């Protein structure tokens, strides 16, 4: 089994269901809306800051088209911003 992503599973567990939900709403298979590889790069490589512009830039780097970004970026940014990360004061 592959190792957990560097940021943990939290980001993946919120972004992947959102992609599935948006794809269902528009009647498209999720893998046609966003390639799994692009989604992994979004959540596994930390963004310099979490906002819609940074999400769009990361998606664009991995070949996600503008119309796909229009459907996904704002929601992904909202979800990623809500995921606690390292250094968020949640130490044991």
């Amino acid at each position: 089994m592959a190792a957990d992503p560097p940021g943990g599973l939290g980001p993946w567990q919120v972004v992947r269901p959102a992609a599935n939900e948006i794809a269902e709403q528009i009647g498209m298979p999720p893998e046609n809306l966003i390639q799994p590889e692009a989604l992994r790069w979004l959540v596994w490589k930390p963004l310099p800051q979490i906002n819609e512009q940074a999400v769009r830039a990361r998606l664009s780097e991995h070949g996600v088209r503008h119309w796909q970004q229009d459907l996904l970026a704002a929601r992904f940014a909202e979800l990623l911003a809500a995921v606690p990360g390292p250094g968020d004061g949640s130490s044991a």
Side-chain angles (χ1 to χ4, degrees):
M1 182 171 194
D4 286 346
L9 290 175
W12 179 260
Q13 291 173 331
V14 297
V15 171
R16 185 63 190 176
N20 291 344
E21 180 182 317
I22 294 166
E24 184 177 330
Q25 289 171 355
I26 63 170
M28 176 179 282
E31 63 276 5
N32 290 353
L33 177 58
I34 184 168
Q35 291 292 315
E37 182 72 13
L39 198 55
R40 282 191 291 274
W41 273 106
L42 174 65
V43 300
W44 289 4
K45 182 180 175 193
L47 291 165
Q49 52 186 303
I50 299 175
N51 58 41
E52 185 176 348
Q53 183 178 3
V55 170
R56 282 179 175 273
R58 176 66 51 79
L59 294 175
S60 183
E61 289 171 11
H62 295 283
V64 178
R65 294 183 174 114
H66 290 286
W67 68 267
Q68 295 164 303
Q69 294 174 35
D70 291 344
L71 291 169
L72 301 169
R75 182 72 176 134
F76 286 176
E78 174 188 352
L79 292 168
L80 290 171
V83 175
D88 285 351
S90 57
S91 60

